[in-house]
Amino acid sequence: MKQFRVIYLLAGFLLVLVACSKDYEKIPLEKVTIEYVFDKDDSLGTYANKFLNSIYSKLPGGYNRVAGDLLDAASDDAISGFTGTTAVSQLATGAFTPYALINEETPWGSAYAAIRAASIFVSNINISPVKETLPNGYSIRYAWKAEARFIRALFYFELLKRYGGIPLMGDTVRALGDDVQVPRSSFADCVKYIVNECDAIKDSLRPNPIAAPELNSHRATRGAALALKARVLLYAASPLFNGQNIDESNTLTGYANYDKERWKLAADAARTLIEERSFALLPNFKNIFITQNNSEIIFFRQNGNSDEIENTNGPVGFAKVARGRTNPTQELVDAFPTDAGLSITDPASGYNPIDPYTHRDPRLTMSILYNGARWLNTEIQTFEGGQHRPGGADPGTKTGYYMRKFMGNFENATQYSSVPHDWIYLRYTEVLLNFAEAENEYNGPTGEVYQVLKDLRARAGITAGDNGMYGLKEGLSPDEMREVIRNERRIELAFEEHRFWDIRRWKIAEQVYNRGLHGMSIIKNGPDLTYDVVEVFKPVFTAPRMYLYPIPYDEVVKNDNMRQNPGW
């Protein structure tokens, strides 16, 4: 029965191991057991290490993972360039139910499969007598165990932010025939569990950073545990879960009360990592995503080198076929201030609506391709009928914009080449912004909050101004600073799977979506260009139920103790 249990739980992971090892190829799959993977005579832990790597491989890749689109194309920052119904358009219009889910974005089954695998590793790694130690003197076996616990905690958080409280399994490995009538734990208990896991493992993980070209650079470090803790506590302190619970007394969907101290917990968690000074802002914003193991990356999923992101999201109209899949919205473009750091709605900004892309925050050019931007040794033409916005049935941007972020430095190249495209789960900028948000909510716009924004704007290339404020106004109220931080977060973390969740945890999704999304229609008449903002997509957000995903119907049917989320 034990052998059957192992095969039932590990089959997907053992396939990876079989493919990686000639020794495994000599053994039929049905003969592979826990005793083989966690071998008491394997002092190197060879097979256990391969099994751990197979758990890492369960982390989603990020780029265009939602049926070919970025998750941000389901937010107000972008839409899909694909013609027809897409998974992200279904997300943005609420066209899903407990019976008909969007598989790539409702990962209940895949997340719990990864959690089970991590628990198997945690429960059995002590069998392997691994003798190798880390530079800090700790046994690498303890680091591996902590890594599996980190991945498990990360998957629990991915479930938590989608569903609210979820069943917590601890180290229990359940098999076919076991009692699976496990109820959902409260939101508070889930937060506590994940935070406690991060605290318990942080000192057993590798110290950060792991220097390149270390083969283990993709592994979770102390910094990853601290950054995950800070993110979880930020979400827990946010309005959706802290004070504006969609079902006021329902402890599964959030806290039943508001507690300002939750913001302090989030701020303190982020400050801990900041004060360790293990990470730093990379001077060039554009290169963060194509420079492996740089000073800003805390935790990432290895994807290797390719030109896939460019081919999927690059502009159409070049000899090299691209699909222009991610089309940024006018709402996102307008969020970028001028190069003096002033909002384009500020009368003092100097923003010119008939020359809208000049004297803007340099991050605009590093994140979005617009009419006149340089790409593949060409000036992009996204005016109506232009080379990169053809009319008729031909594919092309629906908004007048293409995503530029994450791509290689191909402004003056004639074709794409392979560049690193690792997916960054945690980076230092997010930790800084998490701190600024939580600190402002607890203590108001302190000098530390201002300094975070100044540092980010200085790195971006915004001018300091005579007062050294980078366009920030002195004496902002907490409410005013909140809006500044939220906008800074939007432009700095664009397309990184934050905006979709931010507008939910801030509980502003119904206002954001129900305004409609816009693009820029540009008419060229000789040398003159006329700019006209037009609506391109109308999302639908039904509050309050759409703030959380529905529990899959199959899970509710087979588990008498499983409670569905409100409204579903």
Side-chain angles (χ1 to χ4, degrees):
M1 181 64 185
K2 183 176 183 181
Q3 184 175 331
F4 173 76
R5 169 186 152 198
V6 174
I7 293 170
Y8 169 71
L9 292 170
L10 305 187
F13 301 97
L14 293 178
L15 287 173
V16 176
L17 301 188
V18 171
C20 294
S21 170
K22 290 183 179 180
D23 291 334
Y24 272 106
E25 288 171 358
K26 296 176 182 177
I27 300 176
L29 180 60
E30 65 273 13
K31 298 294 185 181
V32 178
T33 64
I34 280 182
E35 289 78 8
Y36 195 87
V37 176
F38 302 100
D39 187 349
K40 63 182 178 59
D41 297 319
D42 183 8
S43 61
L44 297 178
T46 303
Y47 304 129
N49 189 26
K50 288 180 178 179
F51 181 69
L52 178 59
N53 281 329
S54 76
I55 302 174
Y56 273 101
S57 72
K58 299 299 290 182
L59 293 167
Y63 294 114
N64 297 92
R65 68 170 182 81
V66 185
D69 286 300
L70 290 173
L71 179 61
D72 279 47
S75 75
D76 59 334
D77 277 358
I79 63 173
S80 175
F82 185 78
T83 301
T85 302
T86 60
V88 290
S89 69
Q90 291 177 293
L91 277 174
T93 56
F96 54 90
T97 71
Y99 317 96
L101 299 168
I102 297 166
N103 291 333
E104 298 89 346
E105 188 35 42
T106 47
W108 186 281
S110 59
Y112 273 109
I115 288 167
R116 283 197 300 270
S119 294
I120 289 169
F121 189 92
V122 169
S123 299
N124 291 280
I125 183 56
N126 288 345
I127 296 171
S128 299
V130 185
K131 301 186 184 304
E132 185 180 350
T133 58
L134 296 172
N136 60 8
Y138 285 7
S139 168
I140 200 169
R141 182 173 63 185
Y142 298 138
W144 287 351
K145 187 172 184 176
E147 288 171 40
R149 291 173 71 178
F150 170 82
I151 297 172
R152 183 172 65 184
L154 179 58
F155 273 106
Y156 271 127
F157 172 68
E158 290 298 316
L159 290 167
L160 182 71
K161 70 183 182 183
R162 288 169 169 84
Y163 301 102
I166 33 82
L168 295 173
M169 302 297 186
D171 291 343
T172 303
V173 179
R174 298 180 185 277
L176 187 66
D178 285 354
D179 179 14
V180 292
Q181 303 296 303
V182 182
R184 296 170 65 182
S185 297
S186 71
F187 179 84
D189 283 347
C190 291
V191 170
K192 183 178 179 180
Y193 175 83
I194 298 170
V195 168
N196 286 347
E197 282 291 279
C198 291
D199 283 337
I201 64 178
K202 65 181 187 295
D203 293 328
S204 296
L205 291 164
R206 289 174 168 83
N208 24 259
I210 299 176
E214 166 68 57
L215 292 176
N216 293 308
S217 60
H218 69 287
R219 291 184 181 272
T221 64
R222 172 183 172 84
L226 294 177
L228 177 59
K229 175 182 175 179
R231 182 188 286 183
V232 172
L233 289 173
L234 181 79
Y235 273 65
S238 297
L240 177 61
F241 303 112
N242 183 24
Q244 296 182 40
N245 189 335
I246 61 172
D247 192 7
E248 187 175 357
S249 61
N250 187 344
T251 59
L252 297 176
T253 54
Y255 297 106
N257 67 307
Y258 172 75
D259 188 348
K260 187 177 180 180
E261 293 301 311
R262 293 184 183 116
W263 286 114
K264 185 177 188 301
L265 291 174
D268 288 348
R271 182 187 276 111
T272 296
L273 182 53
I274 293 168
E275 290 180 346
E276 289 194 358
R277 301 185 183 277
S278 300
F279 301 94
L281 296 176
L282 194 70
N284 189 317
F285 172 83
K286 184 168 58 173
N287 288 341
I288 296 168
F289 311 97
I290 57 173
T291 304
Q292 291 180 308
N293 304 313
N294 67 67
S295 63
E296 194 162 333
I297 298 175
I298 298 174
F299 182 66
F300 65 97
R301 186 191 192 280
Q302 283 184 315
N303 288 339
N305 293 6
S306 72
D307 58 2
E308 182 180 354
I309 310 306
E310 291 78 8
N311 291 334
T312 302
N313 300 286
V316 303
F318 290 101
K320 173 70 173 179
V321 175
R323 296 190 287 280
R325 194 69 187 243
T326 304
N327 299 171
T329 61
Q330 191 65 44
E331 282 74 17
L332 176 58
V333 172
D334 288 349
F336 287 86
T338 65
D339 56 7
L342 300 176
S343 168
I344 65 171
T345 60
D346 188 328
S349 69
Y351 170 72
N352 185 353
I354 63 173
D355 189 13
Y357 311 122
T358 60
H359 298 294
R360 298 291 293 275
D361 181 335
R363 285 173 293 189
L364 175 61
T365 302
M366 292 186 270
S367 301
I368 295 173
L369 293 171
Y370 47 79
N371 189 69
R374 192 159 188 80
W375 192 247
L376 290 180
N377 208 31
T378 302
E379 285 194 357
I380 294 293
Q381 299 176 0
T382 59
F383 51 81
E384 300 294 342
Q387 178 182 347
H388 310 106
R389 189 172 186 172
D394 293 332
T397 173
K398 297 176 181 177
T399 64
Y401 303 106
Y402 293 99
M403 184 183 74
R404 188 257 173 269
K405 195 172 183 178
F406 309 128
M407 299 188 195
N409 294 319
F410 297 120
E411 280 79 2
N412 297 310
T414 56
Q415 61 183 5
Y416 298 137
S417 57
S418 290
V419 294
H421 282 312
D422 296 331
W423 176 254
I424 301 174
Y425 273 95
L426 298 163
R427 68 178 176 103
Y428 186 57
T429 293
E430 185 209 339
V431 176
L432 293 174
L433 288 166
N434 291 350
F435 169 76
E437 180 180 342
E439 178 71 4
N440 180 63
E441 296 296 336
Y442 191 74
N443 285 319
T446 63
E448 289 179 302
V449 173
Y450 269 100
Q451 193 59 53
V452 166
L453 298 175
K454 289 179 184 179
D455 289 345
L456 291 175
R457 289 181 169 212
R459 189 268 293 275
I462 289 175
T463 56
D466 294 338
N467 61 0
M469 294 295 289
Y470 295 90
L472 297 167
K473 295 180 180 178
E474 299 181 83
L476 291 174
S477 69
D479 289 347
E480 290 170 330
M481 178 58 84
R482 178 187 303 123
E483 294 309 309
V484 172
I485 292 169
R486 288 182 177 184
N487 194 73
E488 199 73 23
R489 185 178 179 94
R490 181 180 193 176
I491 60 181
E492 179 74 26
L493 303 178
F495 312 121
E496 296 179 48
E497 292 205 358
H498 288 284
R499 181 68 178 176
F500 182 86
W501 302 112
D502 284 346
I503 61 177
R504 284 162 172 76
R505 68 180 180 86
W506 293 331
K507 213 174 181 187
I508 62 172
E510 60 248 61
Q511 298 100 305
V512 167
Y513 279 127
N514 292 333
R515 288 195 291 260
L517 303 180
H518 298 80
M520 184 70 80
S521 175
I522 307 173
I523 304 299
K524 181 175 174 60
N525 185 11
D528 298 325
L529 297 174
T530 302
Y531 297 86
D532 186 23
V533 175
V534 296
E535 186 171 291
V536 293
F537 185 69
K538 186 69 175 178
V540 176
F541 192 89
T542 305
R545 74 173 188 174
M546 282 181 63
Y547 276 110
L548 294 175
Y549 287 176
I551 306 296
Y553 173 74
D554 289 347
E555 298 298 325
V556 176
V557 169
K558 70 184 182 185
N559 183 350
D560 292 339
N561 293 320
M562 183 67 69
R563 288 177 59 187
Q564 182 58 274
N565 274 328
W568 296 105

